[in-house]
Amino acid sequence: MPSRRSSSRSRALAGAAALVAIASAALTAGTANATPATAAPAPDLAGLRQALSGVVSAGSPGALALVSDHAGGGGTVSVGTGDLAAGTPVDAKGQFRVGSITKNLTAVLVLQLEAQHLVDLDAPAAGYLPTGVLPADSPITVRELLDHTSGLYDYTNDLPGILVGDTVTGYQQFRYGTYDPADLVAQALTHGSQFTPGSQYGYSNTNFVVLGLLVEHITGKPYQQVLDERIIAPLGLAHTRFIVPKTGIGGPHAIGYLTEDDRTKPLFDATAQTASWIWTAGAAISSTADLNAYWRALSAGKLLPKAQLAEMEAARAIDSTSGYGLGIRQYTLSCGTRVYGHDGIVEGYQTYSYTTKDGSRQVTVSADASNNTAVFTAERAALDPVFCGRSAAPAAQRVAAADSVRVAAEEAAGVTP
C-alpha cells in the first residue's frame, strides 16, 4: 500500500503536463463522438411551464428551469416566488445549492486521475488515501465507491440532530458545524460493512467523501482548488463554486426553504449553512446555465477522454426507469429517450440536471424547497416535455413518479425526505 501512495504522489508532480495531455485526448474524443444527433421532438416549453406550476402546487414557493438545445428550441421558464417575505419572483438566473450533483463533479476528477494513470479504478481505494481513512486491508475499490457498491454505511444518518424526530430542529444542530471529512468516514466505519463490496447497489454519501479525500491525497491540493483548476476555470463556469465552510451562496439566489414536518407550520429559511457535513458529496453551488454548460462539455468529451466517459455512463439498472453509473444517474423517459445527469437534494433546494447522451439538449430544474417528496416528484415530470416534446405517455410518467420517491429517499439520506 505505501508504495502505491508514494508512486502516485511522485507522478502527481507531473500533473500540469498530464493535464495538457488529458485536454488533448478529451478534445480528440469529443471530435470522434461528434456524430449528427438523431432528430428529436422540439422541447415543449408550455408543458415545462405546466410542470413547474405543478412543482409550486406541490409545496415549493418557486421553480426555475433552463432548456439548452442545439437546434434553437431552448429557453428559460420560471414560476412562483424566490423570497416569501419580500414577495419577489424567482430569479431565472439565480444560483442555488446543487446537492448530489456535486457527486458527478467529484467523479469527473477521479476519472481524470485514472486517465493520467494516477488511479486504477479496480484497485483498493485504501492505497490512494491518507493512512487510516479506510482500513489498510479494505477490499473496497475506487470503482465501488463511484457506483455505490462499496457497502459503506451512510454517515449522514448519524449527524447530530437527525434522530431528534423533527427535521428543522435537527438541521439547526448541524447546519453551521465544520466537520473533518476523515471523521465522517470514521463514523460510517463504526457501523461495519453493510454488504460485501461489489455485490449490490447501496447509495451512500460516504462513498463520495472518501473520493474527495482521494482527490486531495493524489493531487496534494485542496478539493476546491482541484475543482477550480480542472473543471470550473477551463469551462468558464462563472456561477459555480465550492466554498465550504462559508455559509452564504455568494451570488443572486432564491431563499432556500425547508418544509416543516408539520405542514401547517410556515416554511423555514434554510439557505445559510456550511455544507461541511456533505462536503464533496453535495456542497457545490451553481446555476442552470452553468450546469447545462457543464453537461454539454462532458458529453462533448471536453472533460474526459472517450474511454473514461464510457466508463462513467455504463449504468446498472436500479429500478424500472433509472440506472446508476460512475457518479451519474441515467433515466429512461416516457418516449424511450435516455438522459444522463444527476439529482440533488440539500436543505432548501431540490434539483434535476440532465442531458442527452450526444449533448444536443440539456435541462436543469431547481425548486427552492426541500423535505417534500411531492416537490421532487413534480420536478421529475418536467423532464418529459423537455426531452419528449408533447408525446409524453401519462402511464410511463406515473411509473417515473413512483420511482422518483425512491430516488428522493436516496438523495435526502440522513435528512427526512
Side-chain angles (χ1 to χ4, degrees), residues 148-201:
H148 293 295
T149 61
S150 70
L152 288 174
Y153 177 81
D154 193 332
Y155 70 87
T156 60
N157 292 305
D158 290 350
L159 283 172
I162 289 300
L163 302 179
V164 300
D166 177 81
T167 298
V168 170
T169 301
Y171 173 53
Q172 292 186 83
Q173 293 186 40
F174 66 82
R175 69 185 294 184
Y176 295 122
T178 301
Y179 299 92
D180 183 330
D183 288 344
L184 298 176
V185 178
Q187 177 60 33
L189 293 176
T190 65
H191 292 269
S193 180
Q194 304 302 290
F195 51 81
T196 302
S199 66
Q200 65 187 71
Y201 171 83

Side-chain angles (χ1 to χ4, degrees), residues 54-73:
V55 173
V56 172
S57 296
S60 179
L64 63 150
L66 174 65
V67 179
S68 302
D69 185 84
H70 283 186

Side-chain angles (χ1 to χ4, degrees), residues 224-290:
Q224 177 179 340
Q225 182 179 348
V226 180
L227 183 66
D228 286 344
E229 291 177 351
R230 290 174 175 251
I231 296 178
I232 294 175
L235 297 185
L237 303 179
H239 302 129
T240 300
R241 59 186 67 87
F242 186 92
I243 54 176
V244 175
K246 293 181 179 179
T247 59
I249 286 184
H253 60 275
I255 300 298
Y257 294 98
L258 187 56
T259 309
E260 293 269 9
D261 298 334
D262 179 352
R263 299 300 201 241
T264 66
K265 293 182 178 179
L267 297 173
F268 178 81
D269 183 347
T271 312
Q273 63 166 297
T274 64
S276 172
W277 66 274
I278 196 64
W279 200 49
T280 53
I285 294 164
S286 193
S287 66
T288 57
D290 272 15

Side-chain angles (χ1 to χ4, degrees), residues 8-317:
S8 295
R9 281 300 192 97
S10 298
R11 290 195 298 271
L13 295 176
L19 274 176
V20 173
I22 286 289
S24 175
L27 288 172
T28 301
T31 302
N33 285 333
T35 54
T38 303
D44 177 8
L45 296 186
L48 173 59
R49 179 172 293 278
Q50 182 178 4
L52 294 189
S53 295
V55 173
V56 172
S57 296
S60 179
L64 63 150
L66 174 65
V67 179
S68 302
D69 185 84
H70 283 186
T76 299
V77 178
S78 61
V79 299
T81 305
D83 184 331
L84 290 172
T88 52
V90 171
D91 181 352
K93 297 182 179 180
Q95 296 155 44
F96 44 87
R97 299 186 186 279
V98 307
S100 287
I101 297 168
T102 309
K103 290 181 172 67
N104 191 262
L105 299 171
T106 301
V108 165
L109 296 178
V110 173
L111 287 167
Q112 286 179 348
L113 295 175
E114 185 207 19
Q116 291 177 257
H117 307 293
L118 296 175
V119 170
D120 179 347
L121 297 192
D122 295 308
Y128 303 114
L129 292 164
T131 301
V133 172
L134 291 179
D137 60 352
S138 170
I140 295 171
T141 67
V142 178
R143 188 183 304 276
E144 289 162 352
L145 295 169
L146 286 163
D147 67 6
H148 293 295
T149 61
S150 70
L152 288 174
Y153 177 81
D154 193 332
Y155 70 87
T156 60
N157 292 305
D158 290 350
L159 283 172
I162 289 300
L163 302 179
V164 300
D166 177 81
T167 298
V168 170
T169 301
Y171 173 53
Q172 292 186 83
Q173 293 186 40
F174 66 82
R175 69 185 294 184
Y176 295 122
T178 301
Y179 299 92
D180 183 330
D183 288 344
L184 298 176
V185 178
Q187 177 60 33
L189 293 176
T190 65
H191 292 269
S193 180
Q194 304 302 290
F195 51 81
T196 302
S199 66
Q200 65 187 71
Y201 171 83
Y203 192 90
S204 174
N205 288 297
T206 307
N207 293 322
F208 279 78
V209 170
V210 174
L211 290 168
L213 288 167
L214 180 153
V215 168
E216 291 195 332
H217 190 64
I218 296 301
T219 63
K221 299 176 181 179
Y223 177 89
Q224 177 179 340
Q225 182 179 348
V226 180
L227 183 66
D228 286 344
E229 291 177 351
R230 290 174 175 251
I231 296 178
I232 294 175
L235 297 185
L237 303 179
H239 302 129
T240 300
R241 59 186 67 87
F242 186 92
I243 54 176
V244 175
K246 293 181 179 179
T247 59
I249 286 184
H253 60 275
I255 300 298
Y257 294 98
L258 187 56
T259 309
E260 293 269 9
D261 298 334
D262 179 352
R263 299 300 201 241
T264 66
K265 293 182 178 179
L267 297 173
F268 178 81
D269 183 347
T271 312
Q273 63 166 297
T274 64
S276 172
W277 66 274
I278 196 64
W279 200 49
T280 53
I285 294 164
S286 193
S287 66
T288 57
D290 272 15
L291 287 176
N292 284 6
Y294 168 75
W295 294 119
R296 191 160 54 249
L298 181 62
S299 299
K302 293 181 179 179
L303 291 172
L304 292 174
K306 186 176 181 179
Q308 278 67 41
L309 184 58
E311 282 188 291
M312 171 175 278
E313 293 177 340
R316 66 163 61 197

Side-chain angles (χ1 to χ4, degrees), residues 300-388:
K302 293 181 179 179
L303 291 172
L304 292 174
K306 186 176 181 179
Q308 278 67 41
L309 184 58
E311 282 188 291
M312 171 175 278
E313 293 177 340
R316 66 163 61 197
I318 303 303
D319 55 36
S320 60
T321 64
S322 66
Y324 205 94
L326 303 185
I328 197 166
R329 288 197 191 275
Q330 175 195 101
Y331 285 139
T332 301
L333 304 179
S334 62
C335 56
T337 294
R338 188 169 292 168
V339 294
Y340 298 80
H342 218 292
D343 323 294
I345 297 178
V346 68
E347 289 82 0
Y349 303 93
Q350 300 189 120
T351 304
Y352 280 78
S353 193
Y354 282 84
T355 183
T356 53
K357 187 178 180 68
D358 64 6
S360 61
R361 185 177 300 168
Q362 297 81 36
V363 68
T364 297
V365 181
S366 189
D368 54 354
S370 65
N371 194 36
N372 187 330
T373 303
V375 167
F376 192 68
T377 298
E379 283 186 275
R380 180 159 170 174
L383 299 182
D384 284 270
V386 170
F387 294 106
C388 299

